[in-house]
């Protein structure tokens, strides 16, 4: 199994908060890898919220190719963090040249584009860079999006964090998601490491998605830019989330109705039963088969947790106004927010969507039995 931890805080936090929670939960992950997602950034990125940030791992030759590619497109570097690793390699972690985090100025005329078109172009560039890197094995690109940083690496999460000096103030953020352990169904590949991200949507999963193949084939048939790769059976959770909100125009409450639809007898009694029956039929190939616990982040910085019907993967939500955490285990929650009211901790069940909004004031719980707010 993997271990998951996410935190949302009005006060920017160090990524080490998540790494320490991950370390406390180490009996639940094998220490073979870590993925980190940072959003609502502070420090030097606070004043450049609209600037797209490229995150990845590069060889020296890869950086030169990156520079030529981006300059040809008209992108100019606005700010960068180049993490050069110590000369003594970390046991179990491949030798790298540079972990690069670089914010760019848009090419002339791009800032006037509608955000949907701007996002499509940024996604297309990330996919092009990924293809270039896979061909020459000189670039691994995780994200290219405003106000988002992603770092992934093979090795023990805490050792990797110290190796890369992730406690630096430039990396403090108000939303942090972290996953410990690599994907278990394929060869070790950083593109198989959670969290996954597309156009403002991010998810990470603890579990096994045995319905992966039909879901992947359905998503590929949609001809949506970015529905590709699939080095992990869990990446489809991110794309289903994107498809639900971005393409179908539904809210986060509908996500559960797509991945774990209600049984027909329960739909008959539901206030939106007719709509949900049609949704279940048209999206039946997106129904997951668990067990899975999914933690995700929406473009507005909301965090959420859902479980599938088998409810065999642990998950708990707790905190206080201004700071909330989602964790695989209570001990991870204790490490991050020890002074919360523990009597109010909540463990979502298979009907629940548990969410903390961008105001970070409270935990909201929505059941699949409740009415849906449908688009007009």
């Amino acid at each position: 199994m993997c271990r998951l931890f996410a935190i949302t805080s009005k006060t920017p936090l160090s990524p080490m908060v998540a790494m320490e929670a991950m370390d406390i939960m180490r009996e639940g992950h094998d220490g073979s890898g870590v993925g980190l997602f940072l959003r609502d950034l502070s420090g030097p990125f606070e004043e450049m919220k609209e600037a797209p940030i490229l995150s990845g791992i590069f060889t020296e030759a890869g950086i030169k190719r990156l520079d030529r590619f981006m300059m040809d497109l008209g992108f100019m570097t606005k700010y960068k963090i180049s993490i050069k690793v110590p000369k003594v390699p970390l046991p179990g972690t491949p030798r790298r040249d540079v972990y690069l985090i670089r914010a760019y100025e848009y090419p002339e005329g791009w800032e006037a584009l509608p955000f949907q078109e701007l996002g499509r172009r940024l996604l297309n560039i990330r996919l092009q860079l990924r293809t270039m890197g896979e061909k020459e094995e000189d670039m691994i690109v995780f994200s290219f999006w405003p106000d988002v940083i992603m770092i992934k690496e093979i090795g023990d999460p805490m050792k990797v964090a110290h190796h890369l000096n992730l406690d630096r103030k430039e990396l403090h953020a108000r939303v942090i998601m972290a996953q410990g352990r690599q994907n278990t169904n394929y060869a070790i590949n950083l593109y198989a490491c959670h969290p996954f991200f597309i156009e403002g949507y991010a998810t990470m999963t603890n579990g096994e998605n045995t319905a992966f193949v039909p879901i992947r084939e359905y998503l590929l048939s949609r001809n949506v830019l970015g529905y590709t790769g699939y080095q992990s059976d869990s990446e489809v959770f991110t794309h289903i989330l994107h498809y639900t909100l971005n393409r179908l125009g539904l809210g986060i409450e509908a996500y559960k109705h797509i991945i774990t639809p209600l049984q027909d007898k329960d739909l008959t009694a539901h206030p939106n039963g007719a709509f949900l029956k049609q949704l279940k039929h048209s999206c039946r190939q997106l129904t997951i088969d668990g067990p899975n616990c999914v933690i995700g982040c929406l473009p507005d910085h909301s965090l959420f947790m859902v479980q599938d019907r088998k409810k065999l993967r642990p998950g708990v939500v707790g905190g206080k106004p201004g700071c909330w955490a989602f964790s695989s285990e209570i001990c991870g929650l204790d490490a991050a927010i020890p002074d919360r009211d523990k009597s109010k901790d909540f463990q979502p069940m298979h009907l629940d969507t548990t969410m903390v909004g961008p105001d970070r004031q409270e935990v909201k719980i929505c059941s699949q039995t409740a009415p849906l707010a449908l688009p007009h």
Side-chain angles (χ1 to χ4, degrees):
M1 288 195 296
C2 309
R3 282 297 177 264
L4 313 175
F5 181 82
I7 191 164
T8 178
S9 170
K10 280 195 169 183
T11 302
L13 300 174
S14 166
M16 295 305 293
V17 171
M19 294 299 98
E20 288 163 3
M22 201 64 61
D23 199 51
I24 291 290
M25 299 187 288
R26 65 168 41 252
E27 290 187 4
H29 63 84
D30 63 7
S32 65
V34 61
L36 190 64
F37 172 85
L38 308 175
R39 166 176 261 165
D40 201 356
L41 307 170
S42 65
F45 297 103
E46 187 84 57
E47 303 304 320
M48 52 183 85
K49 292 288 189 180
E50 306 303 318
I53 302 170
L54 181 70
S55 305
I57 303 174
F58 296 80
T59 65
E60 296 294 350
I63 288 180
K64 291 179 181 177
R65 285 213 302 150
L66 169 70
D67 289 342
R68 288 194 297 269
F69 179 82
M70 298 301 284
M71 288 182 68
D72 287 345
L73 291 175
F75 282 92
M76 299 297 291
T77 298
K78 191 170 187 176
Y79 181 83
K80 72 175 180 178
I81 301 173
S82 298
I83 303 175
K84 299 224 174 194
V85 297
K87 292 183 179 180
V88 179
L90 187 65
T93 299
R95 184 183 291 276
R96 310 290 190 188
D97 286 351
V98 178
Y99 299 80
L100 184 66
I101 301 162
R102 183 184 285 174
Y104 284 95
E105 296 272 7
Y106 283 111
E108 186 175 350
W110 280 40
E111 290 181 333
L113 293 171
F115 186 76
Q116 184 175 7
E117 172 61 19
L118 196 62
R120 188 193 66 81
R121 294 189 185 191
L122 294 177
L123 173 58
N124 190 46
I125 290 169
R126 175 174 66 82
L127 295 174
Q128 288 183 66
L129 289 172
R130 173 171 171 166
T131 300
M132 290 168 56
E134 289 175 328
K135 184 177 181 180
E136 299 294 334
E137 297 185 344
D138 58 357
M139 308 179 195
I140 307 174
V141 179
F142 303 127
S143 60
F144 185 44
W145 200 258
D147 200 28
V148 166
I149 292 173
M150 298 188 76
I151 298 171
K152 302 182 180 184
E153 189 49 280
I154 297 167
D156 179 82
M158 185 59 82
K159 292 179 180 177
V160 167
H162 287 305
H163 189 63
L164 301 183
N165 188 24
L166 296 187
D167 196 27
R168 62 185 73 205
K169 288 186 177 181
E170 301 99 312
L171 296 180
H172 285 204
R174 296 174 181 86
V175 175
I176 302 172
M177 294 170 56
Q179 188 250 19
R181 188 179 184 180
Q182 277 284 338
N183 178 273
T184 54
N185 302 318
Y186 301 86
I188 289 179
N189 180 322
L190 287 183
Y191 285 125
C193 183
H194 314 215
F196 303 105
F197 178 78
I198 181 170
E199 290 192 306
Y201 300 88
T203 70
M204 54 187 181
T205 306
N206 178 21
E208 183 177 359
N209 182 20
T210 52
F212 167 62
V213 173
I215 294 174
R216 178 189 64 189
E217 297 309 307
Y218 180 88
L219 290 169
L220 289 172
S221 73
R222 302 301 92 189
N223 296 315
V224 175
L225 184 67
Y227 292 4
T228 184
Y230 301 122
Q231 299 290 333
S232 165
D233 62 7
S234 296
E235 190 167 10
V236 296
F237 287 101
T238 316
H239 294 175
I240 297 172
L241 178 67
H242 177 271
Y243 186 71
T244 302
L245 278 71
N246 188 281
R247 293 307 172 109
L248 299 182
L250 300 173
I252 182 59
E253 299 84 358
Y255 183 56
K256 280 284 282 138
H257 284 284
I258 289 181
I259 61 175
T260 58
L262 294 172
Q263 297 179 0
D264 288 344
K265 62 181 179 63
D266 296 318
L267 288 176
T268 301
H270 196 282
N272 306 107
F275 171 81
L276 291 175
K277 284 181 181 178
Q278 183 179 6
L279 186 68
K280 178 180 180 179
H281 176 75
S282 61
C283 296
R284 64 188 182 279
Q285 288 176 268
L286 297 180
T287 302
I288 67 172
D289 184 25
N292 291 285
C293 172
V294 182
I295 296 176
C297 185
L298 305 181
D300 70 354
H301 304 167
S302 295
L303 280 183
F304 71 89
M305 177 187 286
V306 295
Q307 298 275 359
D308 69 9
R309 188 169 296 277
K310 293 182 179 179
K311 186 61 180 69
L312 296 176
R313 291 294 185 261
V316 61
V317 181
K320 56 187 179 180
C323 188
W324 302 89
F326 296 59
S327 180
S328 289
E329 297 182 17
I330 290 177
C331 62
L333 203 53
D334 289 342
I337 314 177
D339 58 341
R340 71 190 189 283
D341 182 350
K342 297 181 182 181
S343 69
K344 295 183 179 180
D345 291 352
F346 181 74
Q347 298 185 53
M349 300 303 288
H350 75 276
L351 292 175
D352 300 318
T353 297
T354 307
M355 184 165 59
V356 174
D359 62 356
R360 303 179 173 100
Q361 288 303 299
E362 61 181 345
V363 174
K364 297 178 181 178
I365 303 162
C366 177
S367 173
Q368 278 183 269
T369 59
L372 279 176
L374 300 177
H376 297 291

